[in-house]
Amino acid sequence: DQQVKQNSPSLSVQEGRISILNCDYTNSMFDYFLWYKKYPAEGPTFLISISSIKDKNEDGRFTVFLNKSAKHLSLHIVPSQPGDSAVYFCAASASRSGGSNYKLTFGKGTLLTVNP
Amino acid sequence: NAGVTQTPKFQVLKTGQSMTLQCAQDMNHEYMSWYRQDPGMGLRLIHYSVGAGITDQGEVPNGYNVSRSTTEDFPLRLLSAAPSQTSVYFCASSYVGDRASYGYTFGSGTRLTVV
């Protein structure tokens, strides 16, 4: 059972436009959510996170929105740049699950391509 | 400023062989973990550790062993390699208790092929 779902394997946008990457989760115990970016032949790098007590977190061009009732989060990149082309992973953790609060569950990833 | 170092970067094994993937971090992170990445499967947790002497299983632990004798090192052992273990392996580490900066630091990966 996939607890973190990224239903779009790929997304293509034009430079300067907004990129919206979506993520859904099924485990109601998840209370912390993160996005990672991964370039080919490199390890993932942490991008931005959000706690379940918030519904929005912003860091420069990157904003993450959390809709707890819908169990949905999204990552907005504005404006998109060619260097943003990478695979983006959504991840979640549950702080109340008896010691497993450092275990991240990842989605399958979305390949973002930003065209010049 | 090495971060998380994984060795080797590439490895080819024959079915039945054993080997150890090395992971070392110099950030004094308490938490370390191993993930595997397969096409269309995302990142799946193999084993993790919240400190020296403490390890636990993740989502896909079968065929792998770990130990954590020091804070810095978290090796992953393949006991008897199988073609199903062909994958890219990532080691990751983080602090514990500071959720505000709760991002993992990942190594650059080990690409393993079992033939």
Side-chain angles (χ1 to χ4, degrees):
Chain A
D1 178 34
Q2 195 180 352
Q3 299 184 66
V4 177
K5 301 177 184 179
Q6 293 178 257
N7 291 321
S8 298
S10 63
L11 174 68
S12 182
V13 299
Q14 286 298 119
E15 180 178 5
R17 299 289 188 106
I18 184 172
S19 295
I20 300 176
L21 295 97
N22 293 304
C23 178
D24 297 293
Y25 61 97
T26 58
N27 188 341
S28 59
M29 299 292 287
F30 287 150
D31 61 353
Y32 203 81
F33 305 90
L34 308 91
W35 286 93
Y36 285 80
K37 179 169 72 173
K38 185 183 180 304
Y39 293 118
E42 295 183 10
T45 56
F46 170 66
L47 194 56
I48 192 169
S49 62
I50 187 167
S51 165
S52 61
I53 63 174
K54 297 185 177 182
D55 54 18
K56 175 183 175 181
N57 189 27
E58 195 170 356
D59 184 2
R61 297 186 297 113
F62 302 91
T63 303
V64 57
F65 295 93
L66 175 63
N67 183 333
K68 291 185 289 294
S69 61
K71 292 190 176 67
H72 175 83
L73 63 155
S74 60
L75 175 68
H76 293 210
I77 306 173
V78 184
S80 300
Q81 300 173 354
D84 296 329
S85 298
V87 176
Y88 289 79
F89 289 101
C90 173
S93 73
S95 63
R96 293 182 295 276
S97 52
S100 64
N101 53 312
Y102 307 107
K103 289 164 54 179
L104 290 184
T105 300
F106 285 83
K108 294 183 178 182
T110 297
L111 174 62
L112 173 66
T113 303
V114 180
N115 300 303
Chain B
N1 195 21
V4 176
T5 302
Q6 289 184 236
T7 56
K9 292 191 181 302
F10 302 94
Q11 184 71 48
V12 178
L13 285 179
K14 293 183 178 179
T15 298
Q17 286 185 319
S18 63
M19 79 160 293
T20 299
L21 280 63
Q22 302 291 344
C23 176
Q25 52 91 10
D26 61 357
M27 298 169 286
N28 205 31
H29 285 168
E30 301 94 334
Y31 180 82
M32 296 186 74
S33 56
W34 278 99
Y35 284 84
R36 59 178 288 175
Q37 184 190 14
D38 301 293
M41 298 296 292
L43 292 158
R44 294 182 293 171
L45 180 64
I46 305 171
H47 285 285
Y48 67 99
S49 168
V50 297
I54 306 169
T55 63
D56 206 346
Q57 297 181 351
E59 181 186 356
V60 288
N62 292 339
Y64 308 95
N65 272 357
V66 292
S67 60
R68 184 95 179 269
S69 57
T70 67
T71 299
E72 294 78 21
D73 300 297
F74 191 44
L76 178 72
R77 297 182 187 84
L78 279 70
L79 307 173
S80 177
S84 61
Q85 294 179 304
T86 293
S87 187
V88 181
Y89 292 84
F90 290 101
C91 179
S93 71
S94 75
Y95 292 112
V96 303
D98 182 0
R99 299 297 294 272
S101 59
Y102 182 43
Y104 286 1
T105 300
F106 279 86
S108 58
T110 295
R111 183 173 294 275
L112 176 68
T113 302
V114 183
V115 297

